[in-house]
Amino acid sequence: MNANRKRMAWIAVVVAVLALVPAVAGSFTVSLLNDIGIGALVALGLVLLTGVGGATSFGQAAFVGIAAYATAWLTTAQGMSPWIGLLFALLLTGLSALAIGMLTLRLGGHFLPLSTIAWGLSIAMLFGNVDALGRHTGLSNIPALQVAGWSLADPRSMYYLIWAIVGLACLFSHNLLQSRPGRAIRGLRGGATLLASVGADAYRVRLSLFVTAALFAGLAGWLYAHMNRFVSPSPFDVRASIEYLLMAVAGGLGQLAGALVGAALVLVLKNGLQDVLPMLTQRAGQLEAVAFATLFILLLHFARGGVMGLLRRWTRRRGGTQGASCNEAPPVEPLPHRTLPERGSQVLSVNGAVKRFGGLVAVNDVSFDVKAGEIVGLIGPNGAGKSTMFNLLTCTLPMTSGQVRFLDHDIAGMPQRQVARLGLARTFQHVKLRPHMSLLDNVALGAHSRTRSGILKAGLRLDRTEENQILQEAQRQLDRIGLGDRVHELAGSLPLGTQRILEIARALAADPVLLVLDEPAAGLRRKEKMALGDLLRKLREEGVTILIVEHDMDFVMKLVDRLVVMNFGSKLVEGVPSAVRADERVQAAYLGSVV
Ligand code: ADP
Ligand code: MG
């Protein structure tokens, strides 16, 4: 709470200073601040896209250019109002981003950044070669903006519009990050499988983020065109894109304020260099590029977190606390629950499942059923194919052949996220949590498929009722696993065993019919294991069906109603624990020494 108030005080000071600047500063400073505001808007999109979402774009200036040219052309050649120009610019930027995103965002690894360079180059080239856009001379005589009859031709009046928009964009981004779509965006770095396991589509999340970042750039382009009243291709080429990226990196990719700080740093430095370098050499332009390249490399070496990262480290060392916002929202109606199937009815039925990895048959013709309200254990020695079986029945991996029925659906071949949405929630043997997100946010991510708010609604803060419902649900699940008083800690700070339990809470937040747990007790101490056993029994009483892979025989035998034993990819035996324990084949396979 205290940290929150401190942050609010800081923001108030920054806003007050920014509001006073035009009254005291010279016109050079005001123009520089206008440029910084426009740069910050683009960098803000990059902080979201690259810093939070993990997708690097070397082509962001192209979106600035599309918007700038769109409004320039509409207001000069067509003589329309700049406000229609704004709509047109955003529409064109959004559609271009959508098209480019659909073509490139499925590319993995280094191919995405490489492709951004390609379209960044080609769009900038386009501006210089279209007659209607004035080729290399560009378009001039762009009208100044007018607000209620008031002209914004003067940089001082433009200043207020630019910074008001920057402020609103910061607010929008801040709201977005603390919402359902924001958590999905923050989950992107955890990989597509993590998001699919909570019913989200990583590709769509990334695409909508890409379009959002492009729209921020588009707003900047519109402001740019009506501020400078002139556009030409060079401010929108790849070099400019790299400069925007540099702003985001220099300020700190991890934080929204980094966009402002970074834009200020880069543009002030650039101005300084433009003053100093011509005194030293005649090739100032090239030297400027060298200076920026050096700065980039130094940053990557010594301050990956940018200026904001350094500041943060410094304030923490001075005893500052991290701004953990308290969850003091008023109680709301809980999220609606699924009706669970009647006890004893068929929930899951695996039939002749086969999975081959090249020559290796990891799962070989395995069939078994799970009925509503029971806990079934899947056991077997290491490498028996249990995790692979889990991946098949959650549709995390495609099956080579066989069928899986979940409730009334044939799910073999279905996308994983769709299966998750049907009520099949899972945890992972190799934990998939977002270490830099709080426990509360990690668990709230689990409720993704039960809720609907998108980026626009979240950014405008129209999602608060639903958001409170989600947080309340997450808190409830965290209380259930005994971590209810540590909700604002970061997931990465928990011991591995506890992280597994946290994954269970995330799975429970999805209100599942069937809970599929891969080695949940691994790494837990005896007491924690007992608590886990109690939790799972309680869930069974509530009607949740559970399928569990576990190595701790003692734990499994006491917990489950039925066991399926796998060995070398095939099903060896199936039955109640006592029968399995007594079975000679099982003992011969591996249990002999343990049981
Ligand atoms: P368990 O969970 O029972 O220990 P797994 O399902 O992880 O076993 O593995 C079963 C077999 O399949 C092992 O021999 C493993 O090496 C192999 N395997 C698992 N995943 C893959 C993969 N993605 N590619 C190739 N082989 C795999
Ligand atoms: Mg395994």
Side-chain angles (χ1 to χ4, degrees), residues 382-388 429-430 518-519 549 551:
N382 251 333
K386 308 177 297 288
S387 290
T388 308
Q429 181 175 356
H430 303 288
D518 201 347
E519 304 207 12
V549 162
H551 265 297

Side-chain angles (χ1 to χ4, degrees), residues 227-242:
M227 180 179 77
N228 290 321
R229 321 274 296 274
F230 162 73
V231 291
S232 67
S234 67
F236 311 122
D237 61 10
V238 169
R239 217 160 114 165
S241 287
I242 292 175

Side-chain angles (χ1 to χ4, degrees), residues 349-428:
S349 156
V350 180
N351 210 334
V354 175
K355 179 66 190 179
R356 288 199 186 90
F357 292 112
L360 179 97
V361 188
V363 171
N364 188 8
D365 193 16
V366 174
S367 309
F368 63 93
D369 294 338
V370 179
K371 303 234 176 338
E374 58 174 358
I375 303 184
V376 174
L378 186 62
I379 61 170
N382 251 333
K386 308 177 297 288
S387 290
T388 308
M389 187 65 242
F390 264 29
N391 286 335
L392 296 184
L393 61 88
T394 51
C395 295
T396 311
L397 273 178
M399 201 146 49
T400 309
S401 66
Q403 285 112 36
V404 184
R405 264 189 96 70
F406 175 58
L407 302 173
D408 294 329
H409 310 268
D410 272 319
I411 59 170
M414 228 186 226
Q416 187 196 352
R417 61 169 190 284
Q418 220 163 309
V419 178
R421 284 173 169 270
L422 291 175
L424 201 165
R426 69 167 298 180
T427 64
F428 295 89

Side-chain angles (χ1 to χ4, degrees), residues 285-329:
Q286 280 138 343
L287 254 176
E288 189 190 313
V290 173
F292 273 114
T294 316
L295 175 68
F296 219 146
I297 292 169
L298 286 177
L299 270 173
L300 293 181
H301 265 292
F302 299 109
R304 290 250 170 106
V307 175
M308 289 308 288
L310 286 177
L311 270 181
R312 218 167 156 179
R313 236 187 290 165
W314 184 64
T315 47
R316 222 179 280 164
R317 206 176 299 155
R318 300 225 347 210
T321 49
Q322 245 191 315
S325 60
C326 290
N327 186 22
E328 60 219 352

Side-chain angles (χ1 to χ4, degrees), residues 417-451:
R417 61 169 190 284
Q418 220 163 309
V419 178
R421 284 173 169 270
L422 291 175
L424 201 165
R426 69 167 298 180
T427 64
F428 295 89
Q429 181 175 356
H430 303 288
V431 176
K432 286 187 192 290
L433 287 166
R434 296 313 300 138
H436 295 297
M437 276 162 66
S438 66
L439 306 193
L440 192 67
D441 278 336
N442 267 290
V443 175
L445 188 57
H448 188 90
S449 64
R450 297 168 74 185
T451 45

